[in-house]
Structure formats: structure tokens, C-alpha cells
């Protein structure tokens, strides 16, 4: 009371607000830990101490030092439970009223006793002195808001950040049984994720988990986490100390052995005691080696300049570095992938064997770790390919002076990537992860398609290439391809996934990559004039896979306005015609929209329209992709051209007739509503057949719009009209129905009414008014069936 801040606010109020804000942050953190723990819990497994030593290659080392470890622990364990000094460890603790801080303090005293042992008498202690233990119960780790109970830092590092942490220590006063609570597990997984993001040379992140008097070590690897029980590190009362001393001797000996291991044997695949600056790679592709170098050299690459990329708590991970290799600018990629997936370096070998364009040149590649708990560590040293196309559009899109240049970049990217995908298919590879981050543009304007880590080698790869890959990489390509087939419906970036991929189809084709390319181009064009990716546009809205698939199928049904639903205006884009042709290539067959057919889980039925491909890529690119088809187009293309000419002539006839008849057009809104009715036996060609609607005040018809497992029920209500229904749906982009996949159609009369039809219409209206005056009715509902029964000439027509 009586104390004020500089701005005259009471000091007590400021402290209260800060305290309340802190409580809110803690609640948010608990919710985040709970969610993360629930997501990683299914990937948790247990193993015994012996198996962990086998996975880490430490069996012989432990067998040689087990006796020395037990002798050291026997020396520091007190003979009498009440004794305590700096040279001995007293494991007795009253567990009834114990707090987490007391457990951490007891653990800290054990580490201090081990560090005080003479290194000359016990050389094993020398590695333990390479680390220092610090508590963080009341202070954050520098550069983050995390407060682990304790951490081991590398003594050679100066700053106390997550990039310098060796082992994490977390304590909970309640002992855990078989299952670790999600909040506690998520908390440790979050700390491990921060270590993974900061230390690319990690093999796994160890966390010592003190739960009550028990002690576990958790290995957070890419495959999940592995829990290893070490035993007890304390006993409840002095009465139980004598009986528990033998158990404590074994468990503390195991802990001491692990803490004395160097970083390259416990947590890293290279020595990380000092911050590594250069890495040197050697060996063959199937059995590569890596070591830390202190000075640069011809075969050494720097890892000081890191390219930002998010690293998840588990599963796949990739670390990218902007570096140099033999005076050439290069990119080093360290990637963790499951052992049953195809190595990215092997896919690049297949692509280069097929002379595929727009892919990076590979300097060196190989497998560093063939299998660690189900994951493989691979490295690729490749040429630098510029910046991701999305980064360029977000940086330059806000300036109108850059608009024409960005349109040119988008058109070039569309043509180049389209050609690259077709050449890759010919070589026997699908990319399966086309995104705005995987298409890059360098300073010269050259376009590259990178990150083939989710790619798949097809069964069409030539025997010669398969043999070379098997000899170089020591893998069975056919076996891995069969495993990749089962994951066709699970790979991709959510924003750019195709309809069939979102529906979970496991028989992928080249059209899925082309569809993703279409969404990428629309995404980067949304940045023009705003400098911001239109993530809130209906086409990019992320919800469930099913909802996203139906929404895209509905949006893409409008060939004129689909770009607006992705935040892109194609009318003002100089290369908008290329986007529309790519749309026709992916979503139209024989001039019919087939987007709703993609919602069905069935094999791919689309055929490639080479006429459109040639118009998209140009003669030069098309000739390099299809040398044998440069002068001819297939029969389907000829049919498409004939149909297009027929449509143009029909439009001219209708326009002339409309001009003679005057302005007699009426417009109606037609809403397609999903209905659970049986699937009709119709073909996509029925969509192009116009339906002539008879004169009626209100009527109901069924529209042949095939979709996934259900027909579409078309309800029409309005004034009298006589017009065919356009087979092409028109999307109302402001409607909220887009999110649920509902389609809005625009119905307008496109044929004029003749003088005879107007006369018959006037006669019917006069008869209707006469009947209404006699029966005192003001309205009349006429159905299609009643018109046919009355032999109405318009209905018959």
C-alpha cells in the first residue's frame, strides 16, 4: 500500500495482474502438454536395460565397467542411513510428504557425490565431468518459456539454451505405473522437441523421469519414445534402507554408467561436447560415415547456417543447412525416414537416370544410420535451388510494380513443374508432396521441384535402374514400392491435397500431383497485391479430410470463378489462361466436369489430354516430354476440338435467336442438396444433356449429378419459365454452403420463346384465371407428370 509505478498505477495491482497472467500461461501450457502427450502416447514402448544397451551398442562397454560402477556407488552410499556429507549420498527420503523440489534436490546431491570422485582412481568419472547439472524449477531456459526441473548442460558450451542440453530431468511426486499421465508425458515430449529443433545431430533425446522413489529413462526418438526402468534412486524410511541397499546399488550403477557416456554414444551420432561447425562425409551410399571437422576442407561442409524448418516431436524430420561444397553453394539435408520407405537419394538416382528436368544436382548422398528403432538417417548434399516460390510471392506480392513479374514466375513454374512431373512419371517416380515450399526459383528464374522424400518409385522403373539402385543402396526397391502403395492416400501437404487423396484413395496417379500443382499456383497468386497467403479462403480452409474434399469438389465445379474461392483473380493475370487449361486437364473429361466423380473410392479413370498438355507446356517442353507425339494428337484430342467447335457454333445460333426474340430471359437459383438416395446408373455424359423444363409455377426434378455414393436432388421453385438447365454449376463464392460441399447452380433461359409458344402461354394463363375465379383458388401447382398426361406440347418438346 502506498507504492506506485511510474505510470501512477498501484504496484499491488501490477503484481496481481502479472500473477494472473502467469496462472493463465500455466493453464495453457498444461492443456498443450495434455494434447501432446495424448498424441505421442500411442507411439510409446518399453524395453529393458539390456536391450537399450544393445540398441546403443554399449553391451561390451557396460560389461567391462559394471564392476567399477558398482564399486563407485558402493563407496558413495552411506553405511548408516542417518549419515550425510558432501562425499556420500543418503537415499533416505520421507515419501509421504515429499515434493518435486525435494526429489530434484536428492538427485542433485547424488550427481554432486559422483562428480567429487577422483578421476585418477576411477577414469570413468572423467566423461561425467564434461557435463554440469543445473535446476530450472524457478527460471526459464534461455530463449524459451520452458522450465524443466533439471538439465545436464555441456560444460564446453557457454549459454544455457536448448541447443546446449545433454539430458533432461523431470520429477513428479507420484509414482507412475504402466502408463505415464498425458500431461507429464507431454511436458517431457515438449522439452525433447525443443532439443530436437536445436540439435540436428541428435540420435535421440534422453529424459530421466523421477516418479516417486522410482527412476526411468525415456528415449525420445523419431519413432516415438522408449521407456527403460532403472529401478529406485531413494527409499522411504531408514527402516527399509538395509533391505533396499542392494536394489539401490544396481539402479544407481546403471544411472551412473549412462551419465558417464560421451555425447556421441548417448544421444548424438557425432561428438557434440563442443558445438560442431563442420561435418565430413565418407563411405558408400549404403554405408556412409560422418565425423566432426574443426577446419573447413574440400570434403567438409559447414552446418552453422541453418534453414528454418519445423521439427515435430516424433516421426519424420529433416534438417537443412545453407552451405558450400567445393566452392559451390549447396544445401545439406539430414533426414529421418522410416526404414520401410524408399530413400530420397535413391529416388534422385532414378530421376537423374531418366534425365528429368527441374530437379537439383546431387553432389553426395548416402545412409548414415540404417536402422535406429525403426528409422533411417540419410544425408543429401545438393546444389542450392533458390527460394521457395511462396516466400518470393509473400515478400514481393504487396508491391503492385512486381505484379507482372510475379505472374510470369507463376506461369513459368506451372509449365516447368508440369513437365517435370510428366518426365518423372515416365522415369517411374511420383512426387506426392507438391507444395508451395517444394517449388523453388533461383536468381536466374530457373524453377526446381525439390523434396522428393515422400516420393514413390513405381513398378515401371526399368530393370537396369533397379539393379543399379539395389547395388548402390542395398535395398529391395520392389518391396519398398509395395509398402509405398499402401500409403498413397496419406502423403501430401493439407492445403494442396487433391480430392482423391483427401478421400483416402490408395491408387494414386499423375493427376493427383497435377491437381496439387493447380492449388499451389492458385495459392501463390493469392499473394499478389496483398503479400499474404489466403489461408482463410474457402478453398484452403483446413477441416476434416472429408469436408475438404467435398468443398473442393463443389468449388472446382465452376470453371469461371473457382480461382476467387482460393483468393486468386485469374481475370487480371496474364497467365490465367494456363491455369484454366490445367484446370480443364485435371477436372474435365470430354468437356464434362468430373470433380464429383473423384469423391468415389475407385481406380483412376482419367485419361491424359495431350492437346491441352501441349497448349500448357508449349511445343518445346512438350516435345522434350513426348518426343513421339510432337506432330500428332490422340483421337480424344480431336474429338475434344470437334466438340469445342460445335459448342461455339451453337452459342452463336442461340445468341442470334435471343437478339431477335428480345429480352425475355428470367433467372432462377437452383440449390443442390445432398440426399441419401440410391446411386443411379448414369454416366458423366448425362451431365451435358440439357433438360427442358415445362411451364409451371412450382416443380421438382432430379438432376443427374453423380457424386460419391449418392445422387444429387435438385429442388427448383420460382416463376413460370421455359429454359434448359446449364450442365455447368455456377458457384456463389459468398455462400457458406461451400464449406459443406453444397453446390449452387445458376439457371437462366438461353433459348428464346417463339411467337407460338407465347400465344399458347397467354391462352393457358387466361384459362387458369377463369378456373381460379370459379373455384376461388389463387394458386395452382402443376407437376411434370400432370403436364404429360394432358399432352402438353411444351412438355412433349
Amino acid at each position: 500500500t502506498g507504492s506506485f509505478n511510474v505510470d501512477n498505477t498501484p504496484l499491488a495491482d501490477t503484481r496481481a495482474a502479472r500473477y494472473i497472467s502467469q496462472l493463465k500461461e500455466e493453464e495453457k501450457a498444461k492443456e498443450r502438454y495434455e494434447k501432446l502427450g495424448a498424441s505421442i502416447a500411442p507411439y510409446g514402448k518399453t524395453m529393458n536395460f539390456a536391450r537399450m544397451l544393445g540398441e546403443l551398442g554399449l553391451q561390451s562397454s557396460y560389461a567391462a565397467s559394471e564392476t567399477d560402477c558398482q564399486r563407485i556407488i558402493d563407496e558413495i552410499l552411506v553405511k548408516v542411513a542417518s549419515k550425510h556429507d558432501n562425499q556420500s549420498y543418503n537415499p533416505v527420503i520421507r515419501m509421504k510428504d515429499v515434493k518435486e523440489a525435494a526429489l530434484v534436490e536428492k538427485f542433485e546431491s547424488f550427481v554432486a557425490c559422483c562428480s567429487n570422485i577422483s578421476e585418477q582412481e576411477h577414469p570413468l568419472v572423467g566423461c561425467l565431468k564434461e557435463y554440469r547439472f543445473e535446476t530450472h524449477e524457478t527460471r526459464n531456459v534461455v530463449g524459451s518459456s520452458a522450465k524443466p526441473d533439471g538439465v545436464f548442460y555441456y560444460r564446453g558450451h557457454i549459454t544455457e539454451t536448448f541447443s546446449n542440453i545433454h539430458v533432461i530431468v523431470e520429477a513428479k511426486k507420484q509414482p507412475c505405473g504402466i502408463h505415464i499421465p498425458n500431461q507429464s508425458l507431454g511436458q517431457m515430449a515438449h522439452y525433447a522437441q525443443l532439443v530436437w529443433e536445436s540439435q540436428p545431430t541428435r540420435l535421440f533425446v534422453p529424459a530421466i523421469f523421477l516418479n516417486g522413489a522410482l527412476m526411468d529413462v525415456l528415449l525420445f526418438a523419431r519413432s516415438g519414445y522408449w521407456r527403460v526402468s532403472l529401478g529406485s534412486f531413494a527409499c522411504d524410511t531408514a527402516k527399509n534402507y538395509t533391505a533396499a541397499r542392494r536394489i539401490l546399488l544396481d539402479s544407481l550403477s546403471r544411472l551412473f554408467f549412462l551419465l558417464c557416456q560421451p555425447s556421441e554414444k548417448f544421444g548424438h551420432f557425432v561428438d557434440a561436447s563442443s558445438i560442431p561447425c563442420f561435418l565430413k562425409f565418407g563411405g558408400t551410399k549404403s554405408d556412409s560415415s560422418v565425423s566432426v571437422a574443426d577446419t573447413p576442407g574440400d570434403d567438409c561442409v559447414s552446418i552453422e547456417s541453418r534453414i528454418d524448418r519445423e521439427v515435430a516431436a516424433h516421426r519424420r524430420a529433416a534438417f537443412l543447412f545453407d552451405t558450400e561444397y567445393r566452392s559451390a553453394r549447396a544445401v545439406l539435408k539430414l533426414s529421418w525416414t522410416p526404414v520401410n520407405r524408399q530413400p530420397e537419394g535413391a529416388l534422385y538416382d532414378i530421376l537423374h537416370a531418366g534425365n528429368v528436368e527441374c530437379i537439383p544436382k546431387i553432389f553426395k548422398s548416402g545412409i548414415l544410420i540404417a536402422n535406429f528403432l525403426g528409422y533411417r538417417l540419410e544425408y543429401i548434399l545438393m546444389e542450392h535451388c533458390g527460394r521457395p516460390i511462396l516466400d518470393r510471392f509473400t515478400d514481393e506480392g504487396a508491391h503492385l510494380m512486381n505484379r507482372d513479374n510475379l505472374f510470369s514466375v507463376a506461369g513459368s513454374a506451372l509449365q516447368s513443374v508440369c513437365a517435370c512431373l510428366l518426365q518423372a512419371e515416365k522415369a517411374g517416380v511420383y512426387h506426392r508432396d507438391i507444395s508451395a515450399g517444394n517449388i523453388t526459383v533461383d536468381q536466374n528464374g530457373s524453377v526446381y521441384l525439390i523434396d522428393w522424400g515422400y516420393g514413390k518409385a513405381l513398378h515401371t522403373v526399368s530393370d537396369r535402374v533397379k539393379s543399379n539402385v539395389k547395388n548402390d543402396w542395398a535395398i529391395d526397391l520392389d518391396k519398398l514400392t509395395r509398402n509405398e502403395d499402401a500409403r498413397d492416400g496419406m502423403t501430401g501437404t493439407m492445403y494442396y491435397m487433391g480430392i482423391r487423396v483427401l478421400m483416402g484413395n490408395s491408387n494414386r496417379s499423375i493427376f493427383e500431383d497435377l491437381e496439387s500443382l493447380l492449388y499451389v499456383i492458385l495459392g501463390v497468386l493469392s499473394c499478389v497485391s496483398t503479400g499474404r497467403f489466403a489461408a482463410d479462403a474457402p478453398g484452403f480452409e483446413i477441416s476434416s479430410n472429408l469436408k475438404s474434399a467435398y468443398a473442393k469438389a463443389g468449388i472446382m465445379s465452376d470453371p469461371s470463378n473457382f480461382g476467387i474461392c482460393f483468393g486468386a483473380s485469374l481475370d487480371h493475370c496474364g497467365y490465367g489462361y494456363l491455369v484454366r487449361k490445367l484446370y480443364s486437364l485435371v477436372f474435365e473429361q470430354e468437356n464434362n466436369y468430373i470433380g464429383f466423380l473423384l469423391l468415389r473410392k475407385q481406380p483412376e479413370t482419367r485419361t491424359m489430354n495431350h492437346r491441352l498438355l501441349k497448349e500448357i507446356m508449349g511445343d518445346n517442353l512438350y516435345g522434350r516430354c513426348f518426343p513421339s507425339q510432337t506432330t500428332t494428337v490422340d483421337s480424344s484430342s480431336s474429338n475434344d476440338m470437334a466438340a469445342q467447335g460445335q459448342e461455339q457454333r451453337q452459342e452463336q445460333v442461340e445468341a442470334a435467336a435471343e437478339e431477335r426474340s428480345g429480352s425475355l430471359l428470367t433467372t432462377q437459383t437452383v440449390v443442390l442438396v445432398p440426399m441419401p438416395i440410391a446411386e443411379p446408373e448414369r454416366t458423366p455424359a448425362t451431365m451435358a444433356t440439357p433438360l427442358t423444363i415445362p411451364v409451371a409455377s412450382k416443380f421438382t426434378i432430379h438432376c443427374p449429378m453423380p457424386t460419391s455414393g449418392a445422387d444429387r436432388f435438385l429442388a427448383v421453385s420460382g416463376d413460370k419459365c421455359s429454359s434448359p438447365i446449364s450442365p455447368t454449376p455456377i458457384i456463389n463464392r459468398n455462400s457458406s454452403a461451400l464449406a459443406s460441399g453444397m453446390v449452387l447452380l445458376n439457371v437462366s433461359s438461353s433459348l428464346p420463346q417463339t411467337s407460338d409458344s407465347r400465344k399458347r402461354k397467354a391462352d393457358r394463363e387466361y384459362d387458369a384465371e377463369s378456373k381460379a375465379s370459379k373455384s376461388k383458388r389463387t394458386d395452382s401447382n402443376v407437376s411434370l407428370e400432370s403436364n404429360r398426361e394432358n399432352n402438353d406440347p411444351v412438355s412433349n418438346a
Side-chain angles (χ1 to χ4, degrees), residues 160-204:
E160 295 184 351
T161 62
F162 273 98
S163 61
N164 304 327
I165 290 179
H166 175 53
V167 178
I168 300 169
V169 178
E170 191 64 28
K172 301 296 177 185
K173 62 180 181 181
Q174 295 295 334
C176 297
I178 299 177
H179 301 289
I180 302 176
N182 287 341
Q183 184 174 325
S184 301
L185 178 61
Q187 188 174 4
M188 289 183 286
H190 176 64
Y191 300 153
Q193 180 180 0
L194 295 176
V195 174
W196 268 110
E197 291 179 345
S198 305
Q199 302 181 25
T201 60
R202 273 288 174 180
L203 186 65
F204 63 90

Side-chain angles (χ1 to χ4, degrees), residues 382-640:
M382 68 186 84
E383 68 170 318
H384 197 282
C385 299
R387 302 170 59 199
I389 188 172
L390 182 61
D391 291 351
R392 178 166 181 176
F393 272 72
T394 53
D395 291 345
E396 303 177 10
H399 305 286
L400 292 178
M401 66 181 68
N402 299 325
R403 187 177 64 174
D404 293 339
N405 186 32
L406 293 178
F407 286 157
S408 177
V409 171
S412 176
L414 189 153
Q415 293 175 317
S416 300
V417 176
C418 184
C420 177
L421 292 175
L422 293 168
Q423 292 174 352
E425 184 195 28
K426 197 172 181 179
V429 179
Y430 286 154
H431 190 280
R432 301 197 304 176
D433 188 22
I434 304 296
S435 68
N438 293 337
I439 300 175
T440 62
V441 182
D442 65 8
Q443 295 179 349
N444 300 323
S446 300
V447 178
Y448 295 88
L449 182 58
I450 63 172
D451 196 359
W452 292 77
Y454 280 97
K456 179 182 76 169
L458 307 177
H459 297 281
T460 57
V461 178
S462 65
D463 294 336
R464 178 183 60 84
V465 175
K466 286 182 181 179
S467 177
N468 293 337
V469 170
K470 184 177 181 180
N471 295 333
D472 292 341
W473 294 87
I475 59 174
D476 186 348
L477 194 60
D478 289 330
K479 181 179 179 181
L480 296 180
T481 298
R482 288 191 295 270
N483 183 69
E484 294 285 357
D485 289 340
R487 288 163 173 79
D488 266 349
M490 299 184 291
T491 59
T493 303
M494 191 65 183
Y495 282 129
Y496 314 107
M497 280 185 178
I499 296 174
R500 294 182 73 248
V501 179
L502 291 169
M503 294 299 295
N505 274 291
S506 59
N507 48 357
R508 203 149 176 159
S509 73
I510 184 65
F511 285 99
E512 272 65 60
D513 283 348
L514 292 174
E515 183 180 354
S516 296
L517 173 60
L518 175 61
Y519 298 143
V520 169
I521 299 301
L522 292 173
V524 297
L525 289 178
S526 71
C527 303
V528 178
S529 301
T530 63
R532 184 182 63 86
F533 175 70
D536 54 347
F540 291 123
E541 183 178 355
I542 295 180
S543 55
S544 66
N545 287 7
L546 186 63
K547 289 183 178 179
S548 297
Y550 272 83
K552 284 183 177 178
I555 290 171
M556 303 307 289
S557 62
D558 180 8
S560 302
N561 301 314
F562 65 87
I564 300 176
C565 296
F566 291 88
S569 177
L570 303 181
D571 296 333
H572 304 287
C573 175
Y575 292 83
Y577 70 98
L578 290 178
V579 180
R580 298 188 190 278
K581 289 184 181 297
L582 181 58
Y583 163 86
S584 299
L585 181 69
V586 174
F587 288 105
E588 290 182 355
Q589 293 285 295
E590 298 181 358
N591 294 326
N592 295 324
Y593 175 71
I594 49 94
F596 293 113
L597 297 178
L598 303 180
L599 296 170
R600 299 173 178 173
K601 287 189 176 182
Q602 61 183 14
E604 181 63 77
T605 58
R606 286 174 286 187
T607 57
M608 191 63 68
N609 188 328
H610 285 271
R611 176 183 60 83
L612 283 175
L613 273 181
K614 192 172 183 180
E615 293 176 356
I616 292 172
M617 294 188 294
D619 294 341
N620 190 12
L621 270 179
Y622 182 84
R624 296 204 297 268
C625 295
F626 305 98
S628 61
Q629 302 188 36
T630 55
T631 58
T632 61
V633 294
D634 57 7
S635 59
S636 62
S637 301
S638 300
N639 295 335
D640 291 341

Side-chain angles (χ1 to χ4, degrees), residues 127-262:
C127 290
L128 177 60
K129 294 184 179 181
E130 294 292 330
Y131 316 112
R132 72 177 190 276
F133 182 77
E134 297 288 344
T135 59
H136 281 275
E137 297 172 281
T138 58
R139 59 191 178 97
N140 302 340
V141 176
V142 177
S144 71
S145 59
K147 295 180 180 180
D149 291 332
V151 294
F152 283 91
Y153 287 107
Y154 303 110
R155 194 174 294 274
H157 297 194
I158 300 175
T159 59
E160 295 184 351
T161 62
F162 273 98
S163 61
N164 304 327
I165 290 179
H166 175 53
V167 178
I168 300 169
V169 178
E170 191 64 28
K172 301 296 177 185
K173 62 180 181 181
Q174 295 295 334
C176 297
I178 299 177
H179 301 289
I180 302 176
N182 287 341
Q183 184 174 325
S184 301
L185 178 61
Q187 188 174 4
M188 289 183 286
H190 176 64
Y191 300 153
Q193 180 180 0
L194 295 176
V195 174
W196 268 110
E197 291 179 345
S198 305
Q199 302 181 25
T201 60
R202 273 288 174 180
L203 186 65
F204 63 90
V205 179
I208 298 174
F209 183 39
L210 310 176
N211 51 108
L214 302 178
M215 177 174 49
D216 300 324
V217 58
L218 273 62
L219 308 181
F220 287 93
R222 300 316 307 171
S223 57
Y225 76 94
W226 296 77
R227 183 180 180 185
V228 182
S229 176
L230 298 181
S232 302
F233 80 101
C235 60
D236 193 357
T237 60
K239 183 179 180 180
N240 300 330
Y241 175 68
T242 304
R245 195 175 189 279
R246 182 61 192 176
I247 300 176
L248 291 171
L249 185 62
D250 292 338
S251 59
L252 293 177
S253 298
R254 297 171 180 174
L255 174 64
F256 177 76
F257 173 78
L258 296 179
L259 294 180
C260 291
Q261 296 304 308

Side-chain angles (χ1 to χ4, degrees), residues 634-652:
D634 57 7
S635 59
S636 62
S637 301
S638 300
N639 295 335
D640 291 341
M641 295 174 65
Q644 185 178 11
Q646 185 177 359
E647 284 186 359
Q648 293 177 354
R649 289 192 296 271
Q650 181 66 20
E651 291 175 357
Q652 293 174 359

Side-chain angles (χ1 to χ4, degrees), residues 25-66:
E25 289 296 329
E26 292 178 355
E27 288 297 325
K28 291 181 180 179
K30 290 180 180 179
E31 294 178 1
R32 184 171 63 251
Y33 296 153
E34 185 78 23
K35 185 177 180 180
L36 179 58
S39 65
I40 199 176
Y43 300 94
K45 297 181 181 179
T46 60
M47 69 169 68
N48 55 35
F49 186 73
R51 183 188 171 186
M52 182 189 70
L53 295 177
E55 294 287 349
L56 301 180
L58 297 175
Q59 310 101 312
S60 58
S61 178
Y62 181 71
S65 59
E66 182 178 8

Side-chain angles (χ1 to χ4, degrees), residues 315-393:
R315 304 180 76 173
R316 284 179 180 256
F319 302 92
L320 302 177
F321 303 90
D322 189 348
T323 183
E324 288 186 357
Y325 180 71
R326 297 183 177 179
S327 302
R329 193 177 180 186
V331 171
L332 172 64
K333 181 178 182 180
L334 301 173
S335 57
W336 286 93
T337 55
V339 294
N340 59 354
R341 309 297 288 272
Q342 296 168 345
E344 184 179 2
L347 296 179
Y348 274 118
D349 286 353
I350 298 173
L351 294 171
H352 283 289
N355 297 320
V356 178
E357 303 176 21
C358 300
I359 60 173
K361 178 183 177 181
I362 305 300
F363 300 126
K364 299 181 71 174
S365 62
I367 297 175
L368 298 174
I369 298 175
N371 188 352
F372 179 73
L373 300 177
Y375 270 68
R376 173 200 305 123
L377 177 60
E378 178 186 2
Y379 86 94
I380 299 177
L381 188 59
M382 68 186 84
E383 68 170 318
H384 197 282
C385 299
R387 302 170 59 199
I389 188 172
L390 182 61
D391 291 351
R392 178 166 181 176
F393 272 72

